[in-house]
Each structure stands twice: as C-alpha cells, then as structure tokens.
Amino acid sequence: MTEVHTLPGRWESATEIVRRFKAKEQSAVEVVTDAFKRIDQLNTRYGAVTFADREGVLESARGLDRKLATDQKLGPLAGIPTLMKDLYGFRPGWPTTLGGFPAARHDIAPADLWSRYPLQVTRNDGLLLGQTNSSTFGFCGATDNAIFGPSRNPFNPSRNSGGSSGGSAVAVATGMVPVAGASDAGGSIRIPAAWTNTVGFQPSAGRVPSTPRPALFHLGPHLYEGPVARTVEDAILVMNALQGFDPHDPYSTPSAPFPADLLDRGIGGLRIGLSLDFGGFPVNPRVREAILNAVSAFEELGATVEPVALNLIFSHQEHTEMWLRSMGLLMLADLENFAARGIQLASHDLPEHVHFWTEKAKLMSARDVSHDRVMRTSILDGILDVQEKYDLIVGPTVVDLPVLNQVDGKTVGPDVVDGVKIDPLIGWCPTYLTNFSGSPSISVPAGLVDGLPVGLLIVGRKYEDASVFAAAAAFEQARPWMQNYSLVE
C-alpha cells in the first residue's frame, strides 16, 4: 500500500463528511485543506484536475465555518469538497476550455453564466474546488485532449479512464473528492464510472434542468448533468440537490426528492431483462462473463432475470453514425459561436474527428435530419417494447476494457471488439441509447477483469429513477465494491 492511502479521510463518503462537519468534528477549512493535499499528491500522476480555485474555496470554507458556528441553517451538501467538469460547465470567472480545446484555452465564463452543478453545489453549501478533465467537446468515450492530456485509469495509469467525464471519475476513484459533477450526451457520466469502479447516474430527461442559450432547442441527443460518486447513497444525496423544476428549460419536470428508504427497498419480485449486446453491440467475452456473474446477484435478491432481445430496426453502425452526426450539429453551433466572436478556426485547429463530423453536419439536408429522427424514434420504441414486460434492463455499460493512453492527445476507444470493427469514438458504448430515449440509467461497479473495472448498466422506465437507484443500492449491498479501491495504484 502506497503513501497516498494514508492521507486523512481519503475514502470518507460525502454523507459522512456532512455528518462530521455538522457535528463539528471537522471544519470546512480542514476538509478543503485535506482535499488539496490529495490533489497535489495525486493529480500529476492521474490527470484529473485542470483548474483549482484555492483561495476562492478557502474563503467559502471559512464562511461556512462561521455559518455553522452561528447556528445558521445549512444546506444538504454542507462541507462536501467537490469538483465540476470543464465542458459546458460554467461558473462565473472560471475557465471554460470546452474539454481542452486550444482555441478556448483562455476563455472565462461570464459573470451571469452558471451551469446546474456548480449553482446547486454553491446554493447547498458544498465546496467547489475546481474543474476536471474531459475530451474536447465531449466527442469521445475516452478522456484526452491537446491541452491537458489524458485522464489516467486509477487501476492502471497506462490505460484511460473513459470519458468524457474522465477527470471527475478519476478524482472520485482516487479519493481526491467523494463526489464530482459530470455531464452526459452519449454516456459521459457512465462510461468513466464503468472504467474506474465508481457510480455514475444519468437521470431521466428533464429531472435536472438544462438552460443553454442562445439555442435551447437542438437536434442533438438528450444532454444530462449528474454525479459521479463512490456509493449509491452519495449519488442520491447529490441528485436531490441537482434536480428541480426550472421554467427556462421546456423539458423540465417537477421532481420530488428521492426518499431515504431507497437504500433498503430491495428488488424482490421485480422482472429484469438482461441484454448483453443492447441490440447489436459486439462484446468482449471477458466483459460478458463479468456481467453474467454480476446479474446473478439480482436473482439472489429475489428478482427474476431473463435474457431479452432489444429489437432495433437499424444496425449498430447506423445508430452510432446517427449519434456522431447529432453531435456534429451541436459542435458546429459551437464553432459558429467562435466565428461570431471573431475567432476563425482552420481545420488543423480542431481534433481530426471533430473536423470530420462537423463537416458532415454542414452537408446534412432536411431529409437527412428527418431520417435521423426516425432512427431515434425506433430506439425509443425498441426500449419501450422491453419495458412493457420488464421493470429494468441491465447489461454492460461499455463492451470492452480500458484502452491504452496515447502520447499525442488522441486517445480513443477500441476500434475492434470481439473481432468486429466498430467506431472508436462511441461505437463501444451502449450508453448512448438512453441519450436518445430519455430513460434513466446508472453504471455501478460489476467487478474486475485482469485488475481493470467493468461496469453494469441499469436502465429504468422514464421518470422511474427511484427504481434504478433502489436496484443499484441492492446490488451494492450484495456485491460491495469499496474494497476494490485498495488496488488503486
């Protein structure tokens, strides 16, 4: 066991930190100081944190300590150290590099621009330390970019963390912070959770409001904000702070807080559909074996688990390319915003895959867009057909093991899985299906293969997020994963 494992409070849960802070067993300043000790000791090795607001958060911590001392009401996140993702994550005055995009190296969020995660953390007395690494524009299931390089896997730093919220997942998995903010347009919360032995929750569309401007209505997949945590309980704690109605988001829905009894509700009597390929994804046989072993826990807990076929009309490759085109449209809007600000970008200024798919987006006709809407509808219908008979759908979060990092900022995922050629950007990530359907899902640790984490994806019916959490909590009790952190290098 290396020296870093002796740092104080390294594996303390967010829930426990709140309890200790409110009981005056540890001050907010001490919590922040300890977190920065861990970041300073670990970040060079793992590439998780891209920006730290040391003076700002220490001032916030001192104010929170005064608030406690004077018996003022405290928020539910009081005293929790956390980080936010540097990709479409905005806090006034902080950098906003869009995932290490060189043209945005010096961009700063304006005074009135807040994303949901930093806003709610601040409102609820959490302590926001800084920002975490991402892939550029979030356009890849791995985390790497030209400015900050890769986020390295805590279980083997030669391998990638997954992405695009890789920095957040690594910060949580290495004990820098107990929870971190993430965002998800194709699996970016859940993919790195799968590869780092952490919990990544993607809520139903509309549960966490999103209010981007100037273009709120877009043709891309559902975009989500959510937490990465080490425990299901901590993920619920953060989600209760994030969710809520906002009229500035036309898709926003009123949501009641998740009740505490979710942790012990169990899954006895539920019908669970097991899809190993999610309608056509090739799967590494070792990952398939790990998932089959993991889902046996649900049967032990009293649920019925049956294989199901996700009958999708179009092929896996067609779905993948549809996601890439959809994201190309979103990225094209970002590039046009740069042009409007007088920043003209040449093709060599962009990652090659970003240039390729934004050029594709420029050529899309109305007929192309309409056809993609048909494909998206077919994904929703395929999921709904299974959900008419089954309470939950489970399977692999991603279909292969963590890839090796590259040295040029160009790490991507696998391009062949089980002998089948796939797109290395997202073709190995069944997660993007729920970005088209709006269904809630969570990735929980399903065990280790050759010392590397595998994630189990649990998908629920829309707005039945509580059932997803209950199943994840039951699985956590049956197959606890905290001991795996002793293997973090």
Side-chain angles (χ1 to χ4, degrees):
M1 190 172 290
T2 60
E3 182 183 353
V4 294
H5 292 281
T6 64
L7 288 169
R10 187 170 186 233
W11 305 120
E12 208 167 38
S13 71
T15 303
E16 176 64 10
I17 288 173
V18 172
R19 186 202 65 77
R20 282 169 48 79
F21 171 69
K22 290 184 176 180
K24 300 183 179 179
E25 296 174 7
Q26 188 176 29
S27 71
V29 168
E30 289 171 331
V31 168
V32 168
T33 301
D34 287 347
F36 277 126
K37 284 180 182 177
R38 293 190 285 278
I39 290 170
D40 291 340
Q41 193 164 8
L42 300 168
N43 196 52
T44 299
R45 180 173 177 80
Y46 293 113
V49 180
T50 59
F51 168 78
D53 182 18
R54 295 174 187 265
E55 289 305 315
V57 73
L58 278 171
E59 179 58 34
S60 296
R62 287 189 282 267
L64 189 58
D65 284 335
R66 290 192 294 270
K67 193 172 180 179
L68 176 65
T70 54
D71 295 323
Q72 298 180 54
K73 184 179 179 180
L74 297 171
L77 305 184
I80 298 174
T82 188
L83 294 153
M84 61 178 273
K85 181 180 178 182
D86 175 24
L87 177 70
Y88 307 119
F90 305 105
R91 174 170 176 164
W94 282 22
T96 172
T97 75
L98 294 175
F101 184 35
R105 182 189 295 267
H106 302 298
D107 275 7
I108 299 296
D112 59 347
L113 187 58
W114 287 85
S115 293
R116 185 70 176 181
Y117 190 83
L119 179 63
Q120 291 303 99
V121 165
T122 303
R123 283 176 171 173
N124 289 281
D125 290 329
L127 298 165
L128 198 61
L129 308 181
Q131 294 172 310
T132 59
N133 204 9
S134 169
S135 58
T136 305
F137 294 109
F139 194 51
C140 183
T143 294
D144 200 356
N145 59 64
I147 296 179
F148 304 112
S151 285
R152 301 174 187 88
N153 198 296
F155 290 79
N156 183 341
S158 71
R159 296 186 177 269
N160 199 259
S161 63
S164 64
S165 308
S168 289
V170 170
V172 171
T174 56
M176 297 180 192
V177 291
V179 293
S183 58
D184 190 314
S188 292
I189 295 171
R190 298 155 290 160
I191 297 164
W195 276 5
T196 60
N197 195 70
T198 53
V199 177
F201 182 71
Q202 166 252 304
S204 290
R207 183 176 285 275
V208 175
S210 178
T211 57
R213 296 295 190 273
L216 175 62
F217 298 95
H218 57 75
L219 297 172
H222 286 299
L223 307 176
Y224 306 98
E225 283 189 81
V228 176
R230 286 192 295 269
T231 70
V232 175
E233 182 178 28
D234 282 355
I236 293 173
L237 175 68
V238 175
M239 272 302 303
N240 276 338
L242 288 182
Q243 66 179 6
F245 177 72
D246 187 335
H248 298 92
D249 176 359
Y251 305 107
S252 182
T253 56
S255 303
F258 295 108
D261 70 355
L262 281 184
L263 297 173
D264 301 305
R265 182 175 295 182
I267 57 170
L270 292 188
R271 291 175 57 82
I272 298 176
L274 168 63
S275 179
L276 289 171
D277 70 351
F278 279 106
F281 286 77
V283 185
N284 181 322
R286 302 292 303 282
V287 171
R288 183 184 296 113
E289 180 182 358
I291 295 300
L292 286 171
N293 177 64
V295 298
S296 65
F298 292 124
E299 294 178 305
E300 296 164 9
L301 292 165
T304 299
V305 180
E306 296 175 345
V308 296
L310 202 60
N311 295 317
L312 304 178
I313 298 173
F314 298 93
S315 70
H316 163 250
Q317 184 64 24
E318 288 174 304
H319 292 147
T320 297
E321 291 184 1
M322 191 252 288
W323 183 87
L324 295 167
R325 285 192 298 273
S326 298
M327 288 296 292
L329 289 168
L330 293 181
M331 293 186 296
L332 182 60
D334 287 320
L335 298 183
E336 290 173 345
N337 286 337
F338 276 103
R341 292 161 51 199
I343 302 173
Q344 300 298 327
L345 302 172
S347 60
H348 63 263
D349 294 321
L350 301 172
E352 182 178 347
H353 53 273
V354 172
H355 174 67
F356 179 85
W357 286 103
T358 51
E359 289 299 305
K360 283 268 193 182
K362 290 179 183 178
L363 300 175
M364 289 182 69
S365 66
R367 179 174 293 179
D368 294 330
V369 172
S370 178
H371 178 66
D372 282 358
R373 299 307 91 189
V374 171
M375 291 179 62
R376 179 170 180 167
T377 302
S378 73
I379 290 175
L380 172 62
D381 288 345
I383 292 174
L384 291 176
D385 284 346
V386 175
Q387 290 178 331
E388 286 181 1
K389 298 179 181 178
Y390 295 91
D391 302 291
L392 300 166
I393 305 171
V394 299
T397 306
V398 297
V399 298
D400 208 353
L401 298 171
V403 295
L404 290 168
N405 289 310
Q406 303 302 307
V407 296
D408 55 2
K410 298 180 180 179
T411 307
V412 292
D415 58 4
V416 175
V417 174
D418 197 26
V420 179
K421 187 171 178 59
I422 59 169
D423 185 275
L425 295 175
I426 199 70
W428 42 283
C429 307
T431 47
Y432 71 67
L433 297 176
T434 63
N435 293 87
F436 288 130
S437 71
S439 318
S441 68
I442 193 169
S443 181
V444 293
L448 304 176
V449 172
D450 297 332
L452 296 170
V454 172
L456 174 69
L457 189 68
I458 305 172
V459 180
R461 298 179 180 126
K462 193 172 184 183
Y463 302 134
E464 294 186 12
D465 303 47
S467 295
V468 173
F469 269 137
F475 182 82
E476 182 179 20
Q477 292 176 24
R479 302 287 176 88
W481 52 74
M482 281 298 295
Q483 70 273 8
N484 290 340
Y485 292 115
S486 65
L487 304 176
V488 171
E489 294 194 1

